[in-house]
């Protein structure tokens, strides 16, 4: 790929580009065309071991001794460099993930913003003094865990690296990053840019490879002190099991089945773009996608018609054509989404985009809106991870809460109503890590703690809260009489 200035069939370990120990690669496909466009490293346990060794050395050495303010400066310089490279990073991501250029660009901008935020926070993270017995002075120290392992999925590589690696580095940890086998190019690009701004060798190491090989080796490695995992529930379980063997803390950012709830007093004009966009952005492959639209009966038909007309107008195309929706990530993902569409047979399709003149080997799926879906239907319960939304009618507030909370997940929710008291009641009643009132997503919100409950995971990333997760607290009690 012409935009790459590095060889993606190598790993970046201890500041050096090196071939994976087994000398093997994995093929790289452009989801927009299905064409093979290159090869990435197939890292193995030995590469993970080398990366953990390099990170240990950095944490105990140059990076560990770097003052917090200087760590912050390096991260902010990295943020500025990422901001200068937004266009090239967006082109790389569009080719790798298949997301339309505008959406890929937004991810690169968010990555720069995470680095600015966490760079600025690095020297503002501190402990406390605690009043105690006569003759004592007690204080707490916030210290890095040491070596942190980061396992990242393919849907938003740049944003997830920004929020997890950005926060971990700000707190003084040294990182080993295992990006997804389906999309690892911007992870490698990011680590190379970090090297260029002077991040000490070993503070950030990247080992691409398969989950069952490089990923499993990272989760099982006894030299890793904290694991941050973003991905599916099934893999999250394995990661948590592996973490329990070494008794290390783990942050799990998993899936979702997030609702937007539209009451009959809502500002529908304001709500409509959010109702559809939050379902089809990144072709629905978003953990916080709003895949369930709950609508009060009085306005149900009106909302159904308006959403249907938006669906009919959606333009699907190659990432470089920069339309509303691109392909899904892989042939496998296309098969998974089509499996859900099969389960939808017999349901009412309220709206659907048309697929015109697309490369025949690209991984395209028609964005589809189902109406009148029963709460216990698989399409209303399971995470689809494709451009598919279901509409579910409700009568009153109590029923809306019951439906909203009626899945295994609890990541985010949106509530559309002009009634202020109802807004407060809903915000308290909904089981989710984030609740948005009269908006959805709050524009990305680098500053806003994010994470789930239930099968959506545990722990929080983003915002200042993430820094607490990437540190451990030490209490020092001094008796001086
Ligand atoms: P996945 O679980 O298949 O893969 C995620 C990562 O885990 C990849 O890097 C993969 O290589 C690695 N992995 C796979 N098997 C492993 C193993 N045995 N040990 C260690 N690592 C392993 O998930 P995916 O299909 O890449 O991503 C989609 C899922 O991620 C969806 O469920 C989505 O909701 C979730 N997700 C959640 C968030 C969030 O913040 N909550 C964000 C993005 C994606």
């Amino acid at each position: 790929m012409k935009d790459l200035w590095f060889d993606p069939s190598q790993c970046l370990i201890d500041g050096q580009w090196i071939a994976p120990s087994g000398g093997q690669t994995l093929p790289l496909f452009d989801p927009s065309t299905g064409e093979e466009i290159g090869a990435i490293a197939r890292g193995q346990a030995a590469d993970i071991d080398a990366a953990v060794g390099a990170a240990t050395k950095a944490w105990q050495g140059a990076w560990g001794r770097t003052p917090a303010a200087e760590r912050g400066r390096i991260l902010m310089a990295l943020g500025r460099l990422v901001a200068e490279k937004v266009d090239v990073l967006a082109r790389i991501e569009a080719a790798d993930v298949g997301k339309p250029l505008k959406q890929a660009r937004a991810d690169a901008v968010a990555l720069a913003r995470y680095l600015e935020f966490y760079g600025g926070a690095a020297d503002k993270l501190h402990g406390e003094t605690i009043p105690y017995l006569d003759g004592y002075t007690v204080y707490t120290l916030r210290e890095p865990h040491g070596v942190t392992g980061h396992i990242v999925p393919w849907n938003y590589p740049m944003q997830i690296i920004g929020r997890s690696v950005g926060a971990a580095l700000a707190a003084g940890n040294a990182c080993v990053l295992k990006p997804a086998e389906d999309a690892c190019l911007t992870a490698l690009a990011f680590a190379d840019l970090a090297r260029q701004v002077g991040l000490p060798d070993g503070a950030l190491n990247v080992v691409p490879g398969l989950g069952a090989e490089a990923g499993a080796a990272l989760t099982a490695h006894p030299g890793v002190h904290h694991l941050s995992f973003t991905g599916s529930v099934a893999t999250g379980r394995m990661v948590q099991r592996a973490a329990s063997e070494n008794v290390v803390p783990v942050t799990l950012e998993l899936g979702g089945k997030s609702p937007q709830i539209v009451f009959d007093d809502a500002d529908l004009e304001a709500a409509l773009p959010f109702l559809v966009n939050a379902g089809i952005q990144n072709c629905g492959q978003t953990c916080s996608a709003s895949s369930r639209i709950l609508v009060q009966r009085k306005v149900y038909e009106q909302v159904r018609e308006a959403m249907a007309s938006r669906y009919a107008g959606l333009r699907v195309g190659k990432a470089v054509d920069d339309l509303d929706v691109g392909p899904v990530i892989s042939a496998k993902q296309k098969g998974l989404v089509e499996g859900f569409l099969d389960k939808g047979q017999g349901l009412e399709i309220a709206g659907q985009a048309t697929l015109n003149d697309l490369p025949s080997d690209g991984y395209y799926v028609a964005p589809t809106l189902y109406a009148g879906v029963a709460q216990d239907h698989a399409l209303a319960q399971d995470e689809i991870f494709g451009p598919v939304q279901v509409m579910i009618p409700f009568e009153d507030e109590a029923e809306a809460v019951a439906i909203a909370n009626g899945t295994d997940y609890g990541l985010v929710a949106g509530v559309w109503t002009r009634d202020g008291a109802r807004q407060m009641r809903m915000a308290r009643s909904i089981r989710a890590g984030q609740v948005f009132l009269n908006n959805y997503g709050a524009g990305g919100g680098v500053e806003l703690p994010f994470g789930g409950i239930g099968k959506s995971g545990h722990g929080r990333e983003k915002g200042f809260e993430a820094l607490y997760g990437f540190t451990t607290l030490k209490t020092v009690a001094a008796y001086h009489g």
Side-chain angles (χ1 to χ4, degrees):
M1 203 194 299
K2 69 176 175 2
D3 279 311
L4 298 185
W5 65 89
F6 53 88
D7 176 359
S9 67
Q10 299 195 316
C11 311
L12 190 54
I13 298 175
D14 207 11
Q16 308 298 318
W17 286 105
I18 53 167
S21 56
Q24 290 176 296
T25 57
L26 296 165
L28 183 64
F29 296 97
D30 178 347
S32 296
T33 60
E35 274 168 43
E36 192 170 331
I37 53 170
I40 60 160
R42 180 172 175 174
Q44 304 283 349
D47 306 301
I48 291 290
D49 194 48
V52 172
T56 306
K57 203 172 65 177
W59 162 56
Q60 291 173 347
W63 185 238
R65 285 198 306 273
T66 303
E70 182 56 19
R71 288 201 305 267
R73 275 183 215 115
I74 291 173
L75 289 178
M76 285 190 280
L78 179 53
R80 286 192 295 275
L81 187 56
V82 166
E84 281 171 27
K85 304 271 181 202
V86 157
D87 289 331
V88 66
L89 289 169
R91 285 198 300 272
I92 293 171
E93 197 77 308
D96 205 9
V97 179
K99 57 177 79 187
L101 276 169
K102 248 193 305 304
Q103 297 179 28
R105 200 167 195 284
D107 289 357
V109 169
L111 171 58
R113 171 71 188 123
Y114 275 114
L115 295 164
E116 179 184 53
F117 180 85
Y118 285 119
D123 60 352
K124 294 159 193 77
L125 182 65
H126 49 68
E128 297 177 317
T129 54
I130 301 174
Y132 194 52
L133 302 175
D134 184 37
Y136 279 85
T137 297
V138 180
Y139 59 95
T140 58
L141 295 171
R142 284 218 164 261
E143 298 181 333
H145 291 289
V147 176
T148 51
H150 303 258
I151 298 179
V152 167
W154 42 260
N155 58 345
Y156 288 87
M158 286 192 275
Q159 295 217 33
I160 295 169
I161 288 167
R163 77 187 191 203
S164 109
V165 172
L169 288 173
N173 300 281
C175 307
V176 178
L177 167 61
K178 209 300 278 173
E181 48 273 47
D182 283 328
C184 69
L185 298 182
T186 50
L188 293 166
F190 170 73
D192 194 66
L193 296 180
R195 202 171 65 131
Q196 292 178 26
V197 299
L199 187 73
D201 291 348
L204 171 58
N205 309 275
V206 185
V207 181
L210 295 173
E213 296 175 355
L218 181 58
T219 58
H221 201 291
V224 174
H225 305 109
H226 178 283
L227 283 163
S228 161
F229 172 78
T230 306
S232 63
V233 177
T235 313
R237 276 199 195 98
M238 288 194 263
V239 171
Q240 183 151 343
R241 243 178 257 131
S244 76
E245 284 301 313
N246 291 324
V247 197
V248 296
V250 52
T251 304
L252 295 183
E253 301 279 6
L254 309 178
K257 193 72 188 171
S258 300
Q260 288 191 75
I261 305 161
V262 185
F263 285 93
D264 59 16
D265 66 340
D267 178 345
L268 295 183
E269 279 308 301
L272 275 167
F274 287 89
L275 298 182
V276 176
N277 289 352
I280 53 104
Q281 184 181 313
N282 200 30
C283 205
Q285 304 164 115
T286 304
C287 53
S288 54
S290 177
S291 49
R292 296 186 296 152
I293 305 296
L294 282 43
V295 187
Q296 200 160 17
R297 284 210 187 269
K298 202 169 141 198
V299 290
Y300 183 80
E301 276 311 309
Q302 194 183 342
V303 173
R304 192 180 66 86
E305 275 169 29
M307 287 186 72
S309 103
R310 279 183 184 262
Y311 262 76
L314 287 176
R315 296 158 313 148
V316 181
K318 291 190 283 183
V320 286
D321 291 342
D322 207 10
L323 304 177
D324 304 310
V325 184
V328 294
I329 183 81
S330 60
K332 178 178 158 215
Q333 191 66 19
K334 182 173 188 276
L336 288 173
V337 178
E338 286 172 345
F340 278 104
L341 297 179
D342 286 344
K343 288 185 190 169
Q345 276 176 17
L347 293 177
E348 178 197 345
I349 293 184
Q352 195 163 45
T354 319
L355 302 185
N356 290 323
D357 300 330
L358 294 169
S360 56
D361 292 333
Y363 314 134
Y364 297 95
V365 184
T368 305
L369 174 70
Y370 291 99
V373 180
Q375 163 71 349
D376 58 357
H377 194 284
L379 265 61
Q381 287 291 321
D382 300 342
E383 186 183 49
I384 299 172
F385 231 54
V388 182
Q389 289 180 297
V390 297
M391 294 187 68
I392 308 175
F394 69 85
E395 295 294 340
D396 55 19
E397 206 172 303
E399 193 184 10
V401 170
I403 298 172
N405 290 343
T407 74
D408 289 342
Y409 297 102
L411 195 55
V412 314
V415 179
W416 296 89
T417 175
R418 289 187 166 99
D419 180 336
R422 179 190 277 154
Q423 291 167 9
M424 296 302 110
R425 287 192 299 272
M426 292 298 289
R428 282 181 182 268
S429 307
I430 290 173
R431 284 174 52 76
Q434 288 187 327
V435 176
F436 300 106
L437 303 173
N438 294 324
N439 75 94
Y440 193 85
V446 163
E447 305 83 345
L448 312 180
F450 176 78
I453 57 176
K455 292 218 169 58
S456 292
H458 52 73
R460 294 293 176 263
E461 290 191 341
K462 303 176 70 166
F464 215 82
E465 195 68 27
L467 292 169
Y468 299 134
F470 282 112
T471 52
T472 177
L473 196 73
K474 180 185 282 170
T475 304
V476 181
Y479 179 68
H480 40 70

